[in-house]
Amino acid sequence: MPSEFLNVCLRRLFLYGSIATALLTLSIGQAARIDPQQPTVLITGSNRGIGLAFVEHYLAEGWNVLATTRSPSSADDLQRLGEGWDNLVIEQLDVTDEDRVKTLAADYTGTPIDLLINNAGIYGGTKEQNLGSLDPQTFHDVMAVNVLAPMQMIEAFTEHVAASRHKKIVSVTSGAGSVSGDQVSTGGAFYSISKAALNMAMRKAGAALGERGIMVVLIAPGLVTTDMLRQNRPNLVPRANSPAESVAGMAAVIARIDESHNKQIMNYNGSIVAW
């Protein structure tokens, strides 16, 4: 019996050792794809829409791109990009999984990240945000993804950004979160509340990180023909830009921002979005 038990233990140690070796090899392989001579961007929610357009833009610019998505195996468009670009690394990440966020940050210890783009976001069910049918769980889900997750990403990757040349953190907000705007649309209450909260969260992060030279920027993409818009505000689709058009504008704004940035919310076209 003791020898049988010992054999089982040895087999398990061998299995775990093999898994650890495979993970280490994968990590080393990914790190080898990061060109230290080029800037690096980490983008959340990279599998479609605005996130995917950000990936395409920065790949074309020659940046190292760390593209994260909840399910890489089903991110077909992102995987196709990975086949054609050596400077793209795809990582699994659910931004609401705090342990995974910390593990990913640890995996890239020592890798400067010039630009962190908090793009991942959800709208939540339409009916669940209307007065008369408010759903508390939907509220918590929207706030977790749209507000808490960007804060935790910043917390986890502060040292990576601080070690970089560009030192920029960008969170994608929305005009829907404007409190002082002339008009407030009906519907999507939780989404709008989450973006208003995100704006303050990023102001707080900017105040905390400013002394380290890190610029925390809020930028609105405008109306964009994403799945989110099609599903929840289809009447606005005819007026919307393509993801590529929006990202081209946002990337130009991001490139221009320096230490003189006045902390206002920037629109993709360079205009100012009301708080």
Side-chain angles (χ1 to χ4, degrees):
M1 182 65 71
S3 60
E4 181 181 347
F5 176 75
L6 180 59
N7 287 333
V8 170
C9 290
L10 289 173
R11 285 197 298 270
R12 289 182 176 177
L13 284 172
F14 177 79
L15 173 62
Y16 296 154
S18 299
I19 293 173
T21 300
L23 290 174
L24 178 60
T25 302
L26 177 62
S27 178
I28 292 173
Q30 290 170 340
R33 298 179 69 178
I34 303 296
D35 182 354
Q37 302 303 314
Q38 299 298 326
T40 298
V41 57
L42 190 162
I43 305 164
T44 65
S46 299
N47 58 307
R48 60 184 179 181
I50 292 172
L52 184 65
F54 267 128
V55 171
E56 293 173 325
H57 176 87
Y58 284 105
L59 285 175
E61 291 291 311
W63 287 48
N64 303 305
V65 178
L66 303 181
T68 72
T69 177
R70 282 183 300 174
S71 179
S73 62
S74 61
D76 295 339
D77 291 336
L78 188 58
Q79 292 292 349
R80 278 192 287 271
L81 281 177
E83 296 170 0
W85 295 89
D86 292 335
N87 49 329
L88 172 61
V89 177
I90 301 171
E91 292 281 7
Q92 189 281 327
L93 178 66
D94 179 340
V95 293
T96 65
D97 184 342
E98 183 180 4
D99 289 339
R100 176 57 184 149
V101 170
K102 291 179 178 178
T103 298
L104 185 62
D107 288 344
Y108 286 92
T109 297
T111 300
I113 294 177
D114 295 84
L115 174 59
L116 167 61
I117 301 180
N118 288 311
N119 165 72
I122 61 173
Y123 190 85
T126 303
K127 179 182 177 182
E128 291 82 356
Q129 303 186 52
N130 292 332
L131 289 175
S133 57
L134 296 176
D135 176 54
Q137 187 58 53
T138 299
F139 177 82
H140 291 303
D141 292 344
V142 171
M143 295 296 286
V145 176
N146 295 359
V147 186
L148 181 57
M151 296 178 71
Q152 291 180 322
M153 286 293 296
I154 291 174
E155 184 176 58
F157 287 94
T158 289
E159 297 304 321
H160 305 70
V161 177
S164 73
R165 297 189 297 274
H166 292 256
K167 294 181 171 61
K168 294 180 181 180
I169 296 173
V170 172
S171 291
V172 178
T173 185
S174 170
S178 174
V179 176
S180 61
D182 293 334
Q183 295 181 338
V184 176
S185 63
T186 59
F190 296 165
Y191 178 76
S192 293
I193 291 167
S194 74
K195 291 302 184 179
L198 174 67
N199 294 344
M200 178 52 75
M202 293 303 102
R203 289 296 300 274
K204 290 289 188 179
L209 300 178
E211 64 183 18
R212 302 192 65 179
I214 296 175
M215 292 162 277
V216 180
V217 180
L218 285 158
I219 190 164
L223 290 175
V224 186
T225 53
T226 59
D227 290 344
M228 181 186 294
L229 189 70
R230 293 188 188 96
Q231 293 169 8
N232 299 288
R233 305 300 294 273
N235 59 305
L236 299 179
V237 169
R239 296 164 43 197
N241 292 318
S242 70
E245 290 170 330
S246 174
V247 163
M250 287 192 286
V253 171
I254 293 168
R256 291 196 300 268
I257 287 175
D258 56 24
E259 292 82 356
S260 66
H261 177 56
N262 58 12
K263 310 301 187 288
Q264 291 178 302
I265 303 172
M266 304 299 296
N267 206 359
Y268 77 98
N269 59 10
S271 63
I272 304 299
V273 178
W275 284 101

